[in-house]
Amino acid sequence: MKTPPTGPCPKSVFDVPMPIPMTLYLTSHPQPAGLLRFAAGLLFAVMAVISEPQPVQAQSTQPEEAGSGERILSFDSNIKIRSDGKLDILDRITVRAEGREIRRGIYRDFGTVLVQRDGTLDKVSYDFKKITRDGEPEKFEIKYFPGTIRVFLGEAGTLLTEGIHEYEIRYRVDRQIQFQPDQDVLTWNALGNFWSFPIEDITVTLRLPRRGQLKSVDFFTGMQGDDTAAETLQIAEDRNMAVFRRKQVLLPGEGVTLRAELNKGVVETPGLRQQLKWYLRDRLEALGALLILVLVTAYYLAVWLRVGRDPPAGIIVPQWTPPAGISPALAGYIQNRGFGSDPFRALSAAFISLAVKGFVTISGFDKTPTVSRTAQPVDNSNDRKLPAGEAAVLRALDTHNTLQFSRANGKIVSALVSRFRSAIEGEHGAAFFHLNRLYCVAGIALSLAGVAVLLVLSKGSLESLIPVLFISAVFLSIFTLFVLRLVKAFTTRASNWRLIVSAVPLLFITLIAIIAVPVLTSGFELENPLILVALSALAGINALFFKLMQAPTLLGQKVLAAIEGLKTYLKLAEQDRMNLAGAPAMSPRHFETLLPYAIALELEKPWSRAFDRWLETATAEQVASAQSAGWHSHTGRGPGHLGRDLGRLSRSLEDDMRSAIPPPRSASGGGGHSSGGFSGGGGGNIGGGGW
């Protein structure tokens, strides 16, 4: 079966200040060029695989091949203007079918949106009263697209007999009259310029309401944009009716458009109530999208006020001892309210904590770090019950006494990470914070239900926007998460470098969105950009509250306050630290004890710098004690860099563990001003073909 043509319409060569169908309006605007156009083309080609074809056609303007008998033998269109401004239309279309393109029947495309001179969009409705073929009722199906509907006449499972068939289509359409101060104007495309077949015999009849008179009437034939009026026109004496006939064959790409000027009073001017109905109908999808956004936002706010708000933080006091019973890895987990997708910093803190306690040694300092299991520490202070996360790591090392973080050991490292994550999450339980994921799931379900209702209201015309909506939603969700990350960096008074690290991805994503979104939307018939904005914002709201809904418990808030106190101490300058009453003096032991916490809390740099400054004034015995620690094999740049080198060790562990894990395998297998007319202008028919 030959697929109905679905390319873009030819671009109009005229800039006509009058209402035109949405499909033709969009294709008359220039598309992106160069590299951006190429990138958009690739993306649209991928999307075309999962998208239905659009109903707008690009037909060749050349005659059909010699010997082709399929054509429209006659097209008789009777148009009656009602006193309320609607049009009652009866189209009789006689076709010759030979089973080539016309196999099951014909289809017709109608424009459902008129673009006014000021850029506003008027929605047009069609009411199909009766459709027959050869005098018998004919089944039909309507498919909706942005700015267009396609009416399929016939059944998919029934083939037409070859020969001549006559179709009668009765339908009613509104909002085609343009109301002006001194006259009313009808511009109507009677046939459509984008038929697949030549049309041999054409008659178009226009009738006015009783006692109505035509001020003037013109018929335009030819290609899209041709503004030469036809002369073969008959007007009744009472100027209540006009008839246009053409015996010359219309080729694909040519059409007939009428423009009639009516005296005021022939049709009723729409009242305020009717205009309000039209206003709501024009913006139904946009208002629906905004309503969904408001409802979902209200839901999240209500739930967040109930379960998502943090308890009072209390006063933060610097303290030099970790919170009781909280390991370095667990401290980082509580501070970040989870691991997310990256548990490696917390795991490196756990390794260094085990090393400081004497359970493991870390060698290969300047190359790929290697962790080795040691005998049970002799010091009773170290021989205590280990935290759950560190115990899980140690049990994994009991099987492999020595572990190097290389790609060859990827499966071992992956299993170790999984055990560590499970141990920390089990140790935490719900004691310190609640993720409140069920509330988020309900919010996402509410959002999806709203979008589904919107798709039903649009009768499927928004389905083609799903790919670009998905891309915009992803952009906005990622943007929201990076904004939250930047806000967190500001509120925690992070270093300038960390602020830059947080801001650069945000600026990069913003730049991509500014460039990509116009390119993406240019390939789709977007009737109202507000729909895309509202539904993309809906994705952003879900991403925002996915993070905001996480809330610490009362116990968790106390632990967070203690962690903030420790962070304050780690960041203090040396002179401020020494002024704290009861604070211990800096020493290798004190530095090593808090180093795993500094790593887990992302403060290893200031803590290491403080230790290096202390080493510069330390005695030879103190320096020797620092360098002779048994848990590492540092042979670096001297005692003045020991702290920074040990701090960098954690980043080396992170990077090597991350790179050791193998990547996942991919799976195989009407109210505008009119100054003139032209062929193809006005509302109504776009074209048709066989199927």
Side-chain angles (χ1 to χ4, degrees):
M1 170 182 151
K2 184 174 179 181
T3 304
T6 57
C9 295
K11 189 185 297 183
S12 172
V13 296
F14 288 87
D15 182 16
V16 183
M18 63 187 299
I20 58 178
M22 179 71 173
T23 304
L24 305 184
Y25 169 79
L26 290 168
T27 55
S28 68
H29 284 63
Q31 299 299 308
L35 182 60
L36 293 182
R37 187 171 185 176
F38 174 73
L42 288 178
L43 181 61
F44 299 149
V46 174
M47 291 178 179
V49 177
I50 59 173
S51 302
E52 286 195 52
Q54 300 303 307
V56 222
Q57 309 87 358
Q59 302 300 343
S60 169
T61 59
Q62 300 300 321
E64 286 193 337
E65 298 177 4
S68 172
E70 288 192 330
R71 59 188 59 236
I72 297 177
L73 300 176
S74 66
F75 197 124
D76 183 5
S77 181
N78 290 273
I79 305 158
K80 180 179 180 181
I81 302 176
R82 294 161 48 98
S83 59
D84 59 4
K86 296 180 180 179
L87 306 182
D88 280 338
I89 300 174
L90 169 60
D91 289 340
R92 293 188 181 92
I93 305 173
T94 303
V95 302
R96 177 185 293 147
E98 295 184 352
R100 299 177 63 209
E101 291 189 49
I102 305 177
R103 303 184 65 196
R104 297 162 179 81
I106 64 172
Y107 68 86
R108 296 191 64 185
D109 291 338
F110 299 87
T112 58
V113 176
L114 291 179
V115 183
Q116 299 297 331
R117 186 177 184 181
D118 60 0
T120 58
L121 306 180
D122 288 350
K123 293 284 187 69
V124 177
S125 70
Y126 292 82
D127 182 11
F128 292 90
K129 302 292 186 180
K130 186 178 181 181
I131 296 179
T132 64
R133 174 172 56 85
D134 301 330
E136 298 295 328
E138 178 77 331
K139 292 187 177 181
F140 64 95
E141 180 184 4
I142 302 174
K143 290 205 171 186
Y144 295 83
F145 302 87
T148 313
I149 60 172
R150 171 167 288 181
V151 184
F152 290 92
L153 281 64
E155 293 184 83
T158 304
L159 297 178
L160 281 178
T161 58
E162 295 185 12
I164 297 174
H165 298 276
E166 182 182 82
Y167 291 91
E168 285 194 359
I169 307 170
R170 294 180 183 270
Y171 59 99
R172 181 173 294 170
V173 60
D174 65 358
R175 303 191 76 177
Q176 299 300 318
I177 304 295
Q178 306 156 39
F179 297 95
Q180 300 176 8
D182 56 342
Q183 64 182 8
D184 299 328
V185 178
L186 167 65
T187 306
W188 177 255
N189 192 328
L191 276 66
N193 284 60
F194 304 105
W195 276 94
S196 301
F197 318 109
I199 306 175
E200 293 185 347
D201 190 357
I202 300 164
T203 303
V204 180
T205 304
L206 175 66
R207 291 183 173 85
L208 271 61
R210 184 178 301 177
R211 293 186 295 276
Q213 289 188 335
L214 288 165
K215 193 174 181 180
S216 69
V217 62
D218 289 301
F219 286 80
F220 303 88
T221 63
M223 302 296 294
Q224 173 75 23
D226 193 339
D227 60 350
T228 302
E231 297 180 356
T232 54
L233 174 65
Q234 296 178 353
I235 302 178
E237 277 189 33
D238 59 0
R239 304 189 67 81
N240 184 257
M241 182 177 70
V243 181
F244 167 79
R245 291 185 176 88
R246 175 184 169 115
K247 297 294 184 180
Q248 184 180 356
V249 175
L250 276 183
L251 301 178
E254 297 180 327
V256 176
T257 296
L258 69 88
R259 181 181 185 276
E261 295 180 351
L262 316 178
N263 292 316
K264 296 296 290 185
V266 172
V267 296
E268 302 170 1
T269 302
L272 181 61
R273 183 176 180 180
Q274 181 61 64
Q275 291 181 16
L276 179 60
K277 288 182 179 179
W278 284 344
Y279 180 88
L280 294 176
R281 189 174 78 184
D282 291 342
R283 295 157 180 82
L284 178 63
E285 290 88 353
L287 292 174
L290 287 175
L291 179 61
I292 296 167
L293 179 61
V294 169
L295 289 176
V296 172
T297 303
Y299 161 79
Y300 273 122
L301 284 174
V303 172
W304 179 78
L305 289 173
R306 181 183 175 188
V307 300
R309 297 182 67 182
D310 293 357
I315 300 174
I316 306 301
V317 179
Q319 57 186 54
W320 47 89
T321 57
I326 303 298
S327 67
L330 185 57
Y333 181 83
I334 295 172
Q335 174 189 251
N336 298 316
R337 302 186 187 183
F339 286 135
S341 60
D342 190 355
F344 298 104
R345 172 168 286 271
L347 184 51
S348 69
F351 271 116
I352 292 178
S353 177
L354 285 170
V356 170
K357 295 173 183 176
F359 288 96
V360 301
T361 59
I362 303 175
S363 59
F365 191 89
D366 299 322
K367 298 179 182 179
T368 301
T370 300
V371 178
S372 300
R373 181 74 162 89
T374 65
Q376 190 76 5
V378 177
D379 187 356
N380 289 332
S381 63
N382 287 329
D383 191 14
R384 58 181 180 272
K385 184 179 179 181
L386 290 173
E390 295 177 13
V393 171
L394 206 58
R395 283 194 297 272
L397 288 176
D398 284 339
T399 306
H400 309 279
N401 288 329
T402 300
L403 178 60
Q404 186 179 59
F405 301 120
S406 62
R407 185 62 64 88
N409 294 323
K411 291 184 178 180
I412 299 173
V413 176
S414 180
L416 186 149
V417 171
S418 178
R419 289 182 182 180
F420 171 76
R421 178 191 285 271
S422 299
I424 292 292
E425 291 173 348
E427 182 182 15
H428 160 258
F432 302 106
F433 61 87
H434 297 296
L435 295 176
N436 293 318
R437 290 287 185 256
L438 287 178
Y439 294 100
C440 297
V441 169
I444 294 172
L446 180 62
S447 303
L448 294 176
V451 172
V453 171
L454 190 63
L455 289 174
V456 172
L457 289 177
S458 70
K459 297 180 179 179
S461 64
L462 294 180
E463 288 181 3
S464 62
L465 298 180
I466 291 178
V468 70
L469 173 62
F470 175 77
I471 294 172
S472 299
V474 169
F475 268 119
L476 190 57
S477 299
I478 296 174
F479 178 84
T480 302
L481 295 177
F482 273 100
V483 167
L484 290 174
R485 182 176 177 180
L486 186 61
V487 170
K488 179 182 177 181
F490 270 109
T491 55
T492 56
R493 299 180 181 180
S495 63
N496 292 335
W497 173 249
R498 188 163 296 280
L499 290 176
I500 293 173
V501 170
S502 300
V504 168
L506 184 62
L507 294 175
F508 183 69
I509 292 169
T510 304
L511 181 62
I512 292 177
I514 291 174
I515 296 174
V517 170
V519 174
L520 295 173
T521 55
S522 67
F524 293 85
E525 296 181 0
L526 185 61
E527 294 178 10
N528 194 332
L530 186 60
I531 300 172
L532 183 62
V533 172
L535 294 183
S536 298
L538 185 65
I541 288 294
N542 279 279
L544 175 65
F545 279 95
F546 192 82
K547 295 293 292 184
L548 294 183
M549 203 61 70
Q550 303 172 9
T553 62
L554 291 175
L555 174 61
Q557 193 71 315
K558 291 180 181 179
V559 173
L560 281 172
I563 292 173
E564 286 298 322
L566 180 61
K567 290 172 64 177
T568 302
Y569 173 77
L570 294 172
K571 291 185 290 185
L572 284 177
E574 185 63 25
Q575 58 272 23
D576 296 328
R577 192 180 294 110
M578 293 181 66
N579 290 331
L580 293 176
M586 179 61 78
S587 67
R589 185 62 181 168
H590 185 54
F591 168 73
E592 292 175 348
T593 301
L594 294 187
L595 179 60
Y597 288 93
I599 292 169
L601 301 175
E602 303 181 40
L603 293 173
E604 69 275 10
K605 286 186 178 180
W607 184 240
S608 298
R609 283 196 298 266
F611 183 58
D612 285 341
R613 285 194 296 269
W614 175 81
L615 283 174
E616 292 174 358
T617 60
T619 65
E621 183 180 355
Q622 290 172 324
V623 171
S625 174
Q627 289 181 311
S628 62
W631 62 271
H632 63 81
S633 57
H634 176 259
T635 57
R637 298 169 290 172
H641 299 279
L642 178 60
R644 274 169 286 185
D645 289 344
L646 292 178
R648 278 201 302 270
L649 174 59
S650 67
R651 292 192 294 278
S652 180
L653 286 169
E654 285 183 60
D655 294 341
D656 287 345
M657 283 188 289
R658 191 178 290 111
S659 61
I661 296 179
R665 295 181 180 179
S666 59
S668 58
H673 174 70
S674 173
S675 59
F678 66 97
S679 176
N685 294 272
I686 294 175
W691 70 292

